[in-house]
Amino acid sequence: MPMVTGTAITIMAMTTTTGTELADAALCRLLAWTSPAYPTGAFSYSHGLEWAVDDGLVHDRATLEAWVGHVLAHGAAWTDAVLFAHAHAAARAGDAAGLDAIADLGAALRATAELALESGQQGQAFLSVTRAAWPDAALDRFAAARAGRAVPLAVVQAVACAGHVPVRAALLAMLAAFAAALVSAGVRLVPLGQTDGQRATAALLPVVAATATRALAAPLDDLGAAAPMVDWASARHETQYTRLFRS
């Protein structure tokens, strides 16, 4: 059973009682929840990348990899990874107050209005769709507790996964989906070919794994991002003359 003690997190392995049957079910859930087809609207957000391309900061595969890699290691994906790990543990432990505090923290950590919209609207969409297609009492309780308040995507994803998917596997999948969504935006914006897009995705997988490892050991008190250019790009995107994306 995962436990939250102060600012440290201890995550013990999830065990199953039905062998590979539950493992298969958990994998299928995870594949569905991280699929580009899952209706959260992820395709419509670029996390400031649209302005970075327009300004010439991102203009080829190498600069796209560098931009997305920085978001993963030092930006919103990093903070989301830490929040995910702690929210997963809180949900597993039945710590409703702790989970609510983590959700409030996740909502407050967005640097711009568009980044808050990106996380909150996708989080609300994920919550609504998952409750309808994959009924779960934990999600129902979380929805009731957050009524009228922001639902950060990383936190609601963690709640959904907590009863079914071990935390590291879930976190890796969510971070990989985050990276793939930004690469997909870059493929459309630069533009790049689909093969270069997959090369970028493959090149980012070690960053995904390293970020997950760091996040699982990180206390909430040490949480913070260091991606000011990404935040600047997002702020500039709010008044960009022509836009394809919502962030």
Side-chain angles (χ1 to χ4, degrees), residues 116-128:
L117 177 76
E118 178 181 288
S119 173
Q121 289 204 344
Q122 287 188 76
Q124 189 61 60
F126 185 95
L127 179 60
S128 298

Side-chain angles (χ1 to χ4, degrees), residues 47-241:
H47 204 77
L49 182 60
E50 185 166 21
W51 184 84
V53 172
D54 188 66
D55 196 58
L57 295 173
V58 175
H59 53 83
D60 58 12
R61 176 163 59 91
T63 51
L64 177 63
E65 289 175 12
W67 185 272
V68 178
H70 194 81
V71 175
L72 287 168
H74 306 290
W78 157 246
T79 58
D80 278 357
V82 177
L83 292 166
F84 185 102
H86 283 270
H88 192 285
R92 290 274 290 157
D95 181 3
L99 185 60
D100 195 55
I102 293 166
D104 281 342
L105 179 60
L109 284 174
R110 292 313 192 212
T112 69
E114 284 194 352
L115 294 181
L117 177 76
E118 178 181 288
S119 173
Q121 289 204 344
Q122 287 188 76
Q124 189 61 60
F126 185 95
L127 179 60
S128 298
V129 172
T130 308
R131 289 178 69 201
W134 311 80
D136 189 294
L139 284 175
D140 292 341
R141 290 192 296 270
F142 182 73
R146 299 302 297 178
R149 293 186 290 161
V151 179
L153 178 61
V155 177
V156 68
Q157 287 175 327
V159 175
C161 290
H164 309 282
V165 186
V167 64
R168 182 173 176 83
L171 181 53
L172 284 168
M174 297 304 171
L175 286 172
F178 187 104
L182 290 193
V183 169
S184 176
V187 167
R188 287 171 278 166
L189 287 165
V190 172
L192 296 174
Q194 294 296 332
T195 300
D196 266 352
Q198 291 306 307
R199 289 186 178 119
T201 298
L204 289 164
L205 292 182
V207 186
V208 166
T211 299
T213 297
R214 289 169 53 221
L216 290 171
L220 280 175
D221 282 356
D222 287 349
L223 188 59
M229 200 62 207
V230 177
D231 296 339
W232 174 251
S234 172
R236 292 297 302 271
H237 184 265
E238 293 176 5
T239 57
Q240 190 169 327
Y241 181 67

